[in-house]
Amino acid sequence: MKARVTVTLKTSVLDPQGKAIEGSLRSLGFDGVESVRQGKVFDLEVAGEDKAKAEADIKAMCEKLLANTVIESYRVEIAG
Amino acid sequence: MKARVTVTLKTSVLDPQGKAIEGSLRSLGFDGVESVRQGKVFDLEVAGEDKAKAEADIKAMCEKLLANTVIESYRVEIAG
């Protein structure tokens, strides 16, 4: 089963990397850019056909390894 | 207008970072993990209300800065 996890910084957390990208885009002439925030995606393949179990497992992976829940939030999408 | 850009490695490209995460997840006891590939997301806010123009601009940003199109592919989603 395929799943995608999206990890993004919480809105209250500063994102210097995003700010740097924003500056670079502006200096390339993209004046319309108002803000950029960067996050991560993880495309996982997990064994088994039980969607609910897969989702529970992946949430546990996020809590333990994939996301730093102090400053990041995550979203799990199970494909088809 | 808000948009999300997802940049992922092309499937033919090796992903050592994803492999390392896969190994870490296994050693944490998540045996069901078959593969992990890591990518990036950019959450952008751009000025203007013209969806088509925003999409064209963001594709140009991807080609010029956000993605390395030799090894990465990107997807642009414009929010409502």
Side-chain angles (χ1 to χ4, degrees):
Chain A
M1 196 175 300
K2 289 187 182 207
R4 168 164 283 185
V5 174
T6 311
V7 176
T8 49
L9 280 172
K10 291 183 178 171
T11 43
S12 56
V13 178
L14 289 174
D15 179 8
Q17 194 175 5
K19 276 278 164 210
I21 296 165
E22 191 184 317
S24 301
L25 285 171
R26 289 231 183 85
S27 68
L28 282 171
F30 296 107
D31 303 317
V33 178
E34 284 170 354
S35 86
V36 180
R37 290 180 72 83
Q38 195 182 349
K40 286 170 275 188
V41 285
F42 301 96
D43 287 319
L44 292 104
E45 265 185 71
V46 291
E49 290 305 314
D50 183 344
K51 259 192 169 182
K53 187 186 174 301
E55 194 166 343
D57 279 354
I58 292 169
K59 281 186 178 166
M61 293 177 204
C62 290
E63 295 286 338
K64 282 196 182 164
L65 184 79
L66 300 179
N68 175 354
T69 53
V70 178
I71 56 167
E72 292 170 328
S73 45
Y74 61 84
R75 217 180 110 201
V76 177
E77 291 157 280
I78 308 280
Chain B
M1 194 176 301
K2 290 188 182 207
R4 169 164 283 186
V5 174
T6 312
V7 176
T8 48
L9 281 173
K10 291 182 179 174
T11 42
S12 55
V13 178
L14 289 175
D15 179 7
Q17 193 174 5
K19 277 275 163 211
I21 296 164
E22 191 184 317
S24 301
L25 286 172
R26 289 232 185 86
S27 68
L28 283 171
F30 296 107
D31 303 317
V33 178
E34 284 170 354
S35 86
V36 181
R37 290 180 71 84
Q38 195 183 349
K40 286 171 274 188
V41 284
F42 301 96
D43 288 319
L44 292 105
E45 265 185 70
V46 292
E49 290 305 315
D50 183 344
K51 259 193 169 181
K53 187 187 174 300
E55 193 166 345
D57 279 355
I58 292 169
K59 280 186 178 166
M61 292 176 206
C62 291
E63 295 286 338
K64 282 196 182 165
L65 184 78
L66 301 179
N68 176 354
T69 53
V70 177
I71 56 165
E72 293 171 328
S73 46
Y74 60 84
R75 216 180 111 201
V76 178
E77 292 157 280
I78 309 281

